[in-house]
Amino acid sequence: MKAIAEFLGRLDERGIKVRADGDELACKALRGALTQEIRSELAKRKDELLAFLASDSSYDPIRPASRDEAPPLSFAQQRLWFLDSLEGGGAAYSMPAALRMDGPLHVWATEGSISDILRRHEVLRTVFREQETGDDGHRGPVQVIMPWQPVRLPVTDLADLPETLRDAEAMRLASEEAYRLFDLESGPLFRSGLIRLDEEAHLLMINMHHIVSDGWSVEILIREMLELYGAFAEGRPSPLPDLTVQYADFAVWQRERLTGEALQGQLSYWKRQLSGAPALELPTDRPRPPIQTFTGTTQRFVIRNETTEALRRLSRDTDVSLFMILDAAFSALLLRHTGQADIPIGTPVANRNHREIEPLIGFFVNTIVLRTDLSGDPTFTELLARVRQMTLDASPHQEIPFDRLVEELQPERSLSRHPLFQVMLVVESASEEIPDLPGMRLTLLEVEPGISRFELMLSMEEMPTEIAGAFEYNTDLFDDDRITRMIGHFLTLLKGIAEDPERRVSELPLLTRAERDQILVEWNDTDAKYPADKCLHHLFEEQAERTPDAVALVSESQQITYSALNADAEQLARHLVSLGVGPEVLVGICTQRCTEMITGLLGILKAGGAYLPLDPDYPKDRVSFMLEDAGAQVLLTQEGLISGLPEHVGRHDREGVLPGIVGIRLRHGMGTGTRRSRPENLAYVLYTSGSTGVPKGIAIGHRSAAALVGWAERVYEREELVAVLASTSLCFDLSVYEIFLTLATGGRLVIVRNALTLPNHEASESVTLINTVPSAMRELVGSKGVPASVCTVNLAGEPLSQRLVNDIYAIPTVRRVYDLYGPSEDTTYSTFTLRKRDGITTIGKPVSNTRTYICDKHLRPVPAGVLGELQISGDGLARGYYHRPELTAEKFIPDPFGDKPGSHMYVTGDLCRNLPDGNIQYLGR
């Protein structure tokens, strides 16, 4: 007993008191922290320890129960029975195993071994039927133990197959058996069969329903079978001692034990611990089915020796177990994939803390929920301390059946997900190798039944020099590629923990080098030449020189050529310069939608100034605010609109500067009177709606707008730009694309009041490209108002449904439908995609000279498929918010990933995720 006392003393040193009935979770949690010497001694003296524990006066032994009535189900069995009834059977709870036996095999000894196991363990002969369970007529499930009968193994002979095909066919048959359904009412719930590969090679297939077995039970079954086979093959009787109790006795004992104060004490703890626990919202590749499915597969990996040894050193240095380290690391991984700092994880406990049930086959394993708190971005060692305390607090309360806990806590139930937790963690020591029989080599093979009982389960097995891991996952939710990447993230995270556990969880590395390069470099390889040395009006002027007689503007019955438009704009520019307009001077423009509107824009830009668009339909107080806030020096408008302007505007000096255009001097002596605008100078200021606060002006320079034009010139063919619809208010940035791309490429700008008036316009039948919002396009399509000349449709500003995309493609002449995304802070468009019929809905990839990053709240790039906030950088970025340096500094932050000195990125506030191909999905604000 000295070794036992030393062992208990070591536990006591770590602050753990082992209860008389055993404390399996505490032992499991501390196992990694104990020395190998003590662990070996414990294994050798296991019977002594159990006897010592059983001698305690509080020990509650399990005894044979009366069989006058059919035994009840254990709590765990009852839940599986309910799920089976609800789901109509299924392979989700199959427990397959395959034992390869190389050497001379006595089939009769194998049959005798399995037969004797069925005789010994009543649970393997048990079925579950409903009957009246009380005097009140209530019906419920009970255990019905069937009479024992010797087993005759069905044998499938594959010896006639080519040798190269036999193993694969044998494993296919084993997987097929694993997926074959069980009938809980009729049974049998234990099946076995033999596959003959050749004279001296066989595969023994075993499958049990989880309701009668668990992982520990599989080891018991194989160990007993080998002992029995060895004895029977030599003509000896069974060497196994009789069992003192059966699983049904345990079920009766459990029902009687978990009542009163013992039950309430455990329930009170779990109610406190799990109150308000959230569902874990793992990012998925497909929508969650309305009813949980169990189709799954497994990917395996290995934590190499160097990292394993470092984690073991961390275990010793921090006085925690390897289980705790892996639990903390898995929680950190889930935080980085979900953004949730409250992580509930299920973990199994063997629940065999009584000597009587240790040798029994049956469903004993219990599940507890470990709820990890990652709030406040702790260091990993701080997180370890939290996990250690949580685990130790949970250990005295692990006995309450999970199913009873669900019944008592009554969480919000959903058929689409598991209650209380969605992911599971299993950490085990390496299984003992199966001993060979005389003349026969034995190998236990993994059988993939194609199921996953949870959304995601991480299994870890501690080997002598490394740790073997496996992710089992639901393939109705996750693609294989996502889990492959997650494995890479987990290994990277563990390596980072091993190197420096004092880093905060947010600082631990997650992306593999290859994935980081792909996200930051490959998907942002958008550099391309564009007229960075020119202003917007320069692009128009060059086009006017090339095609002076081509029609530039069409408005109602009026047409204006490029040369005429250029001349009018030049005349206006000279007048504006005389009023003091020059670089960095804002000129307001408030006109109806007509040719004078375009003349006004070009005149302002030619004068070196920047334009501030004002919609004639805006309320007077909004117009007044924008003019004052921006400090506009001059306002261009029309005589008929002056009465609708704020009164103080109408009282300023005004004069006709061109036919149809009135100039109003708002301030004196503010401009430079020079026309030398440069690409870095201001081109325009657009104001936000103010729906989330005070409207703010967004300042865009010429170079940013020229970058947009340069991208569009590469993407759109000339025939698409022959006649572009100009239907967007100047106050919205879609107008920048419509106007300046068209005038830079020699197309016609067809000006209408709004998109819905297009069918009534004389020039409607010439329009080749429509650039508008989805809601307007939906009206046009519904009213059959899309001209037969339209070949391309640009849609932006609102989510674009696939149904509308398909409806647009139903128009015979339409060849391209583009979905474009971009905040005004990044010059109209930041990403684009050519939508396809019945394709995936995305906002595409960044336009040229634009970079996009999807980051967590710590501005660290998130993996593909993980939700984050979209950040935008590149040449299209605005200067910031006009006259709002504090807000600009908040939203336009230094670009930590850029390679250009002084580059910034815009914090959009939009939630997105990258798909594995680099396309971006928009998921809301």
Side-chain angles (χ1 to χ4, degrees):
M1 295 297 291
K2 180 179 179 182
I4 301 298
E6 289 177 354
F7 170 74
L8 296 177
R10 291 297 296 273
L11 292 183
D12 188 60
E13 289 173 10
R14 287 165 170 77
I16 305 300
K17 301 293 184 180
V18 178
R19 300 193 323 275
D21 61 349
D23 199 338
E24 187 240 338
L25 181 61
C27 294
K28 174 183 177 182
L30 287 172
R31 182 178 56 213
L34 297 175
T35 65
Q36 185 62 43
E37 179 184 358
I38 291 181
R39 290 166 64 182
S40 299
E41 190 66 28
L42 174 63
K44 288 188 287 186
R45 303 291 186 89
K46 180 176 61 178
D47 290 341
E48 287 183 70
L49 177 59
L50 289 172
F52 170 75
L53 294 173
S55 67
D56 191 277
S57 60
S58 63
Y59 185 81
D60 184 10
I62 302 172
R63 296 185 174 90
S66 169
R67 300 300 171 88
D68 294 340
E69 296 180 356
L73 278 61
S74 69
F75 288 109
Q77 284 182 325
Q78 185 164 324
R79 182 163 188 271
L80 281 197
W81 177 86
F82 171 77
L83 290 174
D84 186 86
S85 302
L86 182 68
E87 298 161 4
Y93 297 101
S94 294
M95 300 195 66
L99 184 65
R100 181 174 176 119
M101 311 172 81
D102 290 293
L105 177 69
H106 301 296
V107 174
W108 56 268
T110 308
E111 290 177 336
S113 303
I114 294 175
S115 296
D116 202 53
I117 289 171
L118 290 178
R119 179 191 63 79
R120 288 170 50 77
H121 297 276
E122 293 178 349
V123 70
L124 299 181
R125 296 182 272 120
T126 299
V127 295
F128 301 85
R129 296 171 182 168
E130 277 193 283
Q131 67 178 40
E132 289 188 7
T133 57
D135 297 336
D136 57 0
H138 174 75
R139 293 182 62 81
V142 296
Q143 299 190 51
V144 178
I145 301 167
M146 307 301 288
W148 173 78
Q149 292 181 342
V151 168
R152 293 299 303 270
L153 281 175
V155 178
T156 302
D157 197 335
L158 301 181
D160 291 338
L161 285 178
E163 186 175 353
T164 55
L165 300 179
R166 293 174 197 166
D167 287 348
E169 177 62 11
M171 292 309 297
R172 187 194 68 79
L173 292 174
S175 295
E176 187 177 88
E177 160 57 35
Y179 211 73
R180 193 155 60 94
L181 303 185
F182 288 98
D183 185 331
L184 297 190
E185 184 173 349
S186 302
L189 304 184
F190 172 93
R191 297 195 295 256
S192 57
L194 199 62
I195 298 176
R196 181 177 179 271
L197 301 172
D198 59 36
E199 285 281 344
E200 295 193 351
H202 294 78
L203 193 70
L204 177 64
M205 299 183 302
I206 294 170
N207 197 9
M208 298 176 280
H209 195 285
H210 200 357
I211 203 169
V212 299
S213 184
D214 57 19
W216 188 308
S217 299
V218 173
E219 294 182 6
I220 293 173
L221 186 145
I222 292 175
R223 185 174 66 247
E224 289 195 353
M225 191 194 76
L226 296 182
E227 289 190 54
L228 291 168
Y229 179 92
F232 294 166
E234 296 175 357
R236 294 184 287 110
S238 168
L240 300 177
D242 291 338
L243 298 171
T244 59
V245 295
Q246 293 287 334
Y247 185 86
D249 303 319
F250 163 78
V252 172
W253 173 87
Q254 185 190 55
R255 293 277 177 174
E256 294 173 349
R257 174 178 170 81
L258 290 179
T259 58
E261 292 184 7
L263 174 64
Q264 291 306 314
Q266 296 221 4
L267 280 175
S268 296
Y269 168 81
W270 288 113
K271 286 179 178 179
R272 292 192 306 271
Q273 177 68 10
L274 300 180
S275 175
L280 192 65
E281 298 295 342
L282 287 166
T284 63
D285 295 298
R286 282 167 292 283
R288 191 179 304 280
I291 297 179
Q292 183 179 5
T293 63
F294 301 97
T295 305
T297 190
T298 300
Q299 290 192 40
R300 304 182 188 281
F301 61 95
V302 172
I303 303 172
R304 296 298 179 187
N305 181 42
E306 182 179 346
T307 301
T308 297
E309 287 306 311
L311 294 177
R312 286 172 174 159
R313 285 195 300 272
L314 177 62
S315 168
R316 294 191 295 269
D317 293 344
T318 56
D319 198 26
V320 301
S321 69
L322 187 63
F323 169 82
M324 294 175 184
I325 291 175
L326 294 173
D327 179 52
F330 189 35
S331 298
L333 177 74
L334 295 173
L335 164 69
R336 300 284 288 274
H337 275 255
T338 65
Q340 295 176 235
D342 188 352
I343 306 289
I345 298 176
T347 192
V349 290
N351 203 28
R352 291 177 182 258
N353 44 23
H354 280 64
R355 184 175 189 177
E356 298 89 347
I357 61 176
E358 190 182 51
L360 289 186
I361 291 174
F363 186 14
F364 295 98
V365 67
N366 191 26
T367 302
I368 64 170
V369 184
L370 299 178
R371 184 179 180 183
T372 306
D373 173 20
L374 294 100
S375 62
D377 194 22
T379 65
F380 189 76
T381 52
E382 290 171 344
L383 175 60
L384 267 183
R386 296 181 189 182
V387 169
R388 181 183 190 276
Q389 191 59 53
M390 171 197 62
T391 306
L392 300 184
D393 289 346
S395 65
H397 306 95
Q398 63 183 283
E399 191 175 356
I400 184 169
F402 177 79
D403 317 281
R404 186 65 183 274
L405 187 62
V406 172
E407 179 184 325
E408 291 287 340
L409 293 179
Q410 294 188 341
E412 183 178 346
R413 300 305 294 268
S414 169
L415 295 178
S416 67
R417 61 172 76 227
H418 191 274
L420 297 182
F421 69 92
Q422 287 73 54
V423 301
M424 174 165 273
L425 172 66
V426 181
V427 180
E428 299 175 327
S429 295
S431 302
E432 294 183 8
E433 291 189 6
I434 297 175
D436 292 336
L437 292 170
M440 186 182 297
R441 182 163 50 87
L442 305 177
T443 309
L444 188 62
L445 305 177
E446 292 282 351
V447 178
E448 297 288 355
I451 60 172
S452 178
R453 298 185 182 95
F454 306 98
E455 293 182 16
L456 184 68
M457 182 171 75
L458 172 61
S459 299
M460 307 295 291
E461 185 175 7
E462 185 181 359
M463 314 292 282
T465 60
E466 58 191 19
I467 301 171
F471 272 109
E472 178 184 288
Y473 54 99
N474 187 310
T475 51
D476 288 333
L477 296 177
F478 307 110
D479 286 339
D480 296 342
D481 287 346
R482 177 186 290 274
I483 303 302
T484 301
R485 291 193 301 274
M486 183 177 282
I487 290 172
H489 302 155
F490 190 52
L491 293 174
T492 303
L493 190 73
L494 288 172
K495 188 173 184 292
I497 290 167
E499 291 172 348
D500 183 6
E502 293 303 324
R503 278 187 284 191
R504 296 193 178 277
V505 170
S506 66
E507 297 170 347
L508 290 169
L510 187 72
L511 301 175
T512 63
R513 182 184 297 275
E515 190 174 7
R516 185 178 177 85
D517 287 345
Q518 182 184 57
I519 290 172
L520 296 181
V521 180
E522 180 184 333
W523 290 346
N524 283 305
D525 184 14
T526 62
D527 287 354
K529 290 184 178 180
Y530 68 95
D533 58 341
K534 294 184 172 64
C535 298
L536 283 176
H537 55 285
H538 296 152
L539 303 178
F540 161 70
E541 290 166 351
E542 291 174 355
Q543 185 60 45
E545 288 184 11
R546 289 192 293 268
T547 58
D549 298 326
V551 175
L553 305 180
V554 177
S555 179
E556 296 181 346
S557 59
Q558 186 181 12
Q559 293 187 354
I560 297 181
T561 65
Y562 272 84
S563 61
L565 177 59
N566 191 36
D568 287 347
E570 186 68 28
Q571 181 181 344
L572 175 59
R574 287 195 295 271
H575 191 87
L576 290 175
V577 170
S578 71
L579 297 177
V581 174
E584 303 302 316
V585 174
L586 268 184
V587 178
I589 180 167
C590 181
T591 69
Q592 299 290 355
R593 298 190 61 75
C594 56
T595 57
E596 287 82 2
M597 176 183 73
I598 306 301
T599 303
L601 294 182
L602 291 172
I604 294 168
L605 296 178
K606 278 173 168 283
Y611 69 86
L612 171 69
L614 302 159
D615 196 301
D617 294 329
Y618 278 171
K620 291 182 180 181
D621 58 349
R622 178 173 171 83
V623 173
S624 178
F625 168 81
M626 291 169 64
L627 289 171
E628 291 298 320
D629 186 69
Q633 179 172 328
V634 176
L635 172 63
L636 295 183
T637 187
Q638 295 165 311
E639 191 68 42
L641 297 177
I642 293 177
S643 62
L645 296 173
E647 291 183 6
H648 71 280
V649 173
R651 290 197 298 269
H652 285 78
D653 298 339
R654 66 176 184 263
E655 54 185 289
V657 294
L658 275 181
I661 300 181
V662 176
I664 301 176
R665 189 194 294 268
L666 302 176
R667 290 170 178 80
H668 293 274
M670 294 187 63
T672 64
T674 178
R675 297 174 61 174
R676 296 196 193 96
S677 57
R678 300 178 183 276
E680 60 268 20
N681 286 136
L682 192 63
Y684 61 85
V685 172
L686 297 183
Y687 269 77
T688 63
S689 65
S691 58
T692 59
V694 177
K696 48 190 178 290
I698 301 166
I700 302 291
H702 280 276
R703 184 173 287 121
S704 295
L708 172 72
V709 173
W711 159 76
E713 283 187 294
R714 280 186 297 277
V715 171
Y716 295 87
E717 299 173 359
R718 291 289 172 154
E719 56 265 29
E720 296 177 279
L721 304 175
V722 168
V724 176
L725 181 66
S727 62
T728 306
S729 167
L730 292 184
C731 298
F732 295 100
D733 57 357
L734 271 65
S735 64
V736 176
Y737 170 96
E738 294 171 351
I739 296 168
F740 295 105
L741 172 63
T742 306
L743 296 180
T745 55
R748 285 194 306 279
L749 202 59
V750 180
I751 303 171
V752 300
R753 184 161 52 86
N754 61 58
L756 299 183
T757 64
L758 175 61
N760 303 322
H761 199 282
E762 291 184 10
S764 64
E765 291 306 317
S766 68
V767 172
T768 55
L769 187 148
I770 294 176
N771 185 71
T772 189
V773 295
S775 54
M777 193 65 198
R778 190 179 299 111
E779 293 291 331
L780 277 177
V781 171
S783 64
K784 301 187 183 305
V786 180
S789 55
V790 172
C791 61
T792 300
V793 176
N794 280 356
L795 296 172
E798 301 166 358
L800 175 56
S801 70
Q802 187 61 45
R803 179 177 178 180
L804 178 56
V805 171
N806 293 344
D807 289 345
I808 297 170
Y809 274 126
I811 300 169
T813 58
V814 174
R815 295 185 292 111
R816 295 183 179 181
V817 177
Y818 283 100
D819 191 353
L820 303 118
Y821 160 90
S824 299
E825 288 85 349
D826 191 49
T827 315
T828 310
Y829 299 137
S830 304
T831 70
F832 77 111
T833 184
L834 179 62
R835 292 286 293 272
K836 299 178 181 179
R837 295 174 177 85
D838 302 316
I840 298 175
T841 301
T842 77
I843 59 173
K845 298 181 179 181
V847 303
S848 57
N849 299 296
T850 295
R851 297 182 297 278
T852 57
Y853 314 112
I854 299 176
C855 300
D856 60 21
K857 64 180 181 180
H858 301 285
L859 293 180
R860 294 185 180 275
V862 299
V866 173
L867 187 68
E869 184 177 351
L870 180 63
Q871 326 289 338
I872 301 173
S873 181
D875 292 359
L877 214 60
R879 290 182 179 182
Y881 295 110
Y882 203 56
H883 295 164
R884 302 281 177 85
E886 296 83 3
L887 186 60
T888 297
E890 176 187 339
K891 300 292 285 186
F892 292 82
I893 63 177
D895 181 357
F897 315 112
D899 54 3
K900 297 179 181 178
S903 61
H904 286 72
M905 68 183 188
Y906 171 63
V907 181
T908 69
D910 290 334
L911 297 177
C912 299
R913 68 176 180 178
N914 276 122
L915 297 182
D917 62 359
N919 279 292
I920 300 170
Q921 278 190 329
Y922 176 86
L923 300 170
R925 293 287 292 175

